[in-house]
Amino acid sequence: MSALHTLDVRLFEALAGTRLSPAERDRAIDLCESVVAMVPDLDLGHPGQAARCGAHLLLADVVPGLDPRVRSDLARLCEVAVVKGL
């Protein structure tokens, strides 16, 4: 199983109990994948923290109906994915 697929599975699991539309879930997943893909290419002192903060802020803007706890869970998954090199 590829690392990106593992991230997708975890993101889908975190979003499973939400009341988001399928389009909103897809936007949240695409956003998280983009953050995880982008952050390692940037020259940052704390890439995991940057991924978490960036995902948190972008999710709040792009998917405003997302529960804050779920948003934090997704942001944390992005952080872990960057730190572990997914």
Side-chain angles (χ1 to χ4, degrees):
M1 187 179 309
S2 75
L4 188 55
H5 180 73
T6 301
L7 176 62
D8 282 348
V9 169
R10 290 180 181 161
L11 293 171
F12 274 108
E13 287 172 353
L15 290 167
T18 66
R19 294 184 177 147
L20 297 177
S21 70
E24 289 173 313
R25 280 193 296 267
D26 288 345
R27 269 184 275 165
I29 290 168
D30 289 344
L31 185 143
C32 289
E33 289 176 349
S34 296
V35 167
V36 170
M38 179 185 359
V39 168
D41 293 336
L42 303 174
D43 187 24
L44 302 169
H46 302 282
Q49 183 180 14
R52 184 176 185 165
C53 292
H56 204 283
L57 290 170
L58 290 168
L59 284 165
D61 186 51
V62 174
V63 191
L66 187 59
D67 181 279
R69 285 173 280 160
V70 176
R71 184 172 56 237
S72 292
D73 291 344
L74 296 179
R76 193 170 22 259
L77 287 170
C78 292
E79 177 183 21
V80 170
V82 168
V83 170
K84 289 191 173 190
L86 299 180

